Amino acid sequence: MRSTHVVAAALAAAMVLTPSMASAAPSGDSHGKTETLRKAAPRGFHIGTAVAGGGHHETQPYPDPFTHDRPYRQVLAAEFSSVSAENQMKWEYIHPERDRYNFGMADAIVKFAQRNRQVVRGHTLLWHSQNPAWLQQGTFTPEELRKILRDHIKTVVGRYKGKIQQWDVANEIFTDTGALRTTDNIWIRELGPGIIADAFRWAHEADPRAKLFFNDYGVESVNAKSDAYLALIKELRAKRVPVHGFSAQAHLSISYGFPGDLENNLRRFAALGLETAITELDVRMDLPPDGIPTAAQLEQQADYYQRTLVACLKVRGCDSFTIWGFVDKYSWVPVFFKGQGAATVMWDDFTRKPAYYRLLSTLDRS
Ligand code: G3I
């Protein structure tokens, strides 16, 4: 049996043309004017991706992608004008021990971005997940814990002052019902909701130019969760807390409907004077028994990618559109969702999928 990705590549070739022939992409897609996403994007509109490393990659049978995969780095530089650290700036990587920071990987990503004229999204400062054991299991007084967070934010944000375009200051602070995570978020549980405003203030003091965002999944539509963000942000901005943006991660699946009110939802935040962004788009699917997506699945996936991009392009102040990885072999999806995958815009060998060409032609026309 031919290996999955060989068959996938053959399917891709049947479906679309190889990258070197992008100029003759399927009709209705790219007009062949440009051959990369970043070149096709309108001036000032950043098309980004997560930079693969850490996290789920550590349990996979390959070395760290960003440091070892040359073809990966070449595509990363050529196609994208914004990069996000997938895991490398999270507490468990950048602050592994109470008195020790590890900036190696984050520094490498920031240097790569500077060399390739890319902006950087910092991810993330206040979250309930991927905190190191010394923090999550430590016993601290509220004063000690508050100082730990303040020192972390001042140290990390300060180190990259002027080099980070947007920070996900607070990540996933509400449950799906719009309740604050007062149990699993150590900061909110131990220090109360007021710590959220302090985190934004400290980040702003450390880097006044960085745009400071709330970031979450499941907030693409108008719902209890996005309503909760809208109310909280209104309250914080009334108190002149430096909140500059709201971003939807947009981890989508073709097993569910597309969030058709995404544009209107983003407009609600834009109406507050906020920037908005799409920060972690991928579109997963249940894979057939042979592991090869059908043409219909690939078409629906391309449609979801395109509609998400169109929504962002149409909302003033949505100038940052990031996909959560661009090649299937490094995607978090199959690790997290058994039987699902093919969530990104390229096959394992970097052959472009219909979704890639749909993004390209949409950017070309914008
Ligand atoms: O820490 C455990 C370790 O103790 C254990 O031995 C090991 C094997 O099971 O797993 C380790 O946890 C890993 C974790 O990253 C820690 O780095 C998980 O397996 C691994 O799946 C996890 O993956 C990352 C995930 O965040 C963690 O939530 C992914 O690489 C990363 O793509 C993903 O990214 C998040 C964004 O930051 C926020 N939005 C959602 C998005 C997808 O979950």
Side-chain angles (χ1 to χ4, degrees):
M1 155 114 151
R2 293 169 74 192
S3 77
T4 300
H5 85 264
V6 170
V7 174
L11 179 92
M15 286 290 301
V16 291
L17 299 151
T18 56
S20 58
M21 300 163 73
S23 55
S27 62
D29 280 310
S30 166
H31 301 290
K33 288 203 303 269
T34 51
E35 73 287 358
T36 68
L37 297 174
R38 70 182 293 181
K39 286 181 183 173
R43 181 180 299 278
F45 187 86
H46 291 288
I47 186 91
T49 184
V51 176
H56 73 279
H57 303 284
E58 294 184 345
T59 59
Q60 300 307 302
Y62 51 73
D64 186 87
F66 177 64
T67 41
H68 291 85
D69 187 336
R70 271 179 64 81
Y72 171 85
R73 289 167 64 96
Q74 287 164 346
V75 177
L76 177 63
E79 291 285 352
F80 301 97
S81 57
S82 173
V83 292
S84 300
E86 182 176 11
N87 292 287
Q88 306 87 334
M89 290 187 184
K90 294 171 181 174
W91 274 73
E92 70 173 339
Y93 287 94
I94 209 166
H95 199 170
E97 291 161 31
R98 182 171 183 180
D99 300 321
R100 182 172 71 89
Y101 288 88
N102 176 4
F103 292 116
M105 285 304 298
D107 284 356
I109 290 170
V110 171
K111 285 194 182 80
F112 181 92
Q114 290 180 312
R115 264 202 319 273
N116 293 290
R117 294 178 293 107
Q118 298 163 319
V119 297
V120 181
R121 295 199 82 259
H123 178 77
T124 181
L125 300 173
L126 185 151
W127 192 24
H128 64 274
S129 181
Q130 292 186 267
N131 290 317
W134 70 262
L135 173 66
Q136 205 64 40
Q137 295 151 27
T139 48
F140 308 103
T141 65
E143 295 70 27
E144 286 171 333
L145 201 58
R146 183 179 163 79
K147 185 177 186 312
I148 286 169
L149 179 60
R150 184 180 180 282
D151 291 350
H152 177 91
I153 291 175
K154 294 280 193 174
T155 303
V156 175
V157 177
R159 182 181 182 88
Y160 302 113
K161 181 176 179 180
K163 299 174 182 174
I164 303 283
Q165 185 204 36
Q166 299 176 349
W167 267 107
D168 291 336
V169 172
N171 192 48
E172 303 175 10
I173 62 164
F174 286 116
T175 67
D176 290 347
T177 60
L180 263 183
R181 287 180 184 263
T182 51
T183 306
D184 57 354
N185 185 303
I186 182 175
W187 309 110
I188 300 172
R189 182 184 69 238
E190 300 301 331
L191 301 174
I195 195 60
I196 297 164
D198 288 335
F200 278 86
R201 292 185 183 106
W202 294 331
H204 188 60
E205 287 164 16
D207 185 354
R209 284 171 42 199
K211 297 300 183 185
L212 307 180
F213 275 67
F214 282 99
N215 185 57
D216 211 330
Y217 65 87
V219 293
E220 294 75 29
S221 285
V222 176
N223 57 33
K225 200 172 187 182
S226 59
D227 286 349
Y229 277 104
L230 197 69
L232 175 62
I233 293 171
K234 280 178 184 170
E235 179 194 321
L236 293 177
R237 283 174 64 94
K239 291 187 248 175
R240 308 183 66 73
V241 175
V243 178
H244 307 117
F246 170 78
S247 48
Q249 294 177 8
H251 288 295
L252 306 180
S253 166
I254 62 171
S255 299
Y256 309 113
F258 180 81
D261 56 346
L262 171 60
E263 181 187 331
N264 288 337
N265 186 33
L266 293 178
R267 284 194 194 287
R268 299 198 299 169
F269 293 88
L272 301 180
L274 285 168
E275 295 183 25
T276 55
I278 299 296
T279 53
E280 305 183 16
L281 177 59
D282 43 30
V283 182
R284 64 184 186 272
M285 59 186 74
D286 289 315
L287 293 173
D290 65 3
I292 309 288
T294 66
Q297 286 181 308
L298 292 171
E299 171 51 35
Q300 189 178 359
Q301 179 184 58
D303 177 58
Y304 281 27
Y305 267 96
Q306 179 175 32
R307 291 166 73 181
T308 305
L309 176 57
V310 167
C312 182
L313 285 165
K314 289 172 77 173
V315 175
R316 177 186 296 277
C318 188
D319 300 317
S320 181
F321 178 90
T322 295
I323 60 179
W324 205 241
F326 57 86
V327 60
D328 283 350
K329 63 183 175 182
Y330 293 146
S331 169
W332 69 291
V333 167
V335 177
F336 266 64
F337 300 99
K338 291 300 168 223
Q340 299 188 46
T344 75
V345 297
M346 295 181 196
W347 301 109
D348 291 359
D349 61 359
F350 303 102
T351 305
R352 274 61 167 167
K353 295 156 78 171
Y356 170 89
Y357 287 107
R358 199 66 64 77
L359 292 179
L360 188 65
S361 60
T362 302
L363 290 167
D364 251 344
R365 287 195 294 264
S366 62

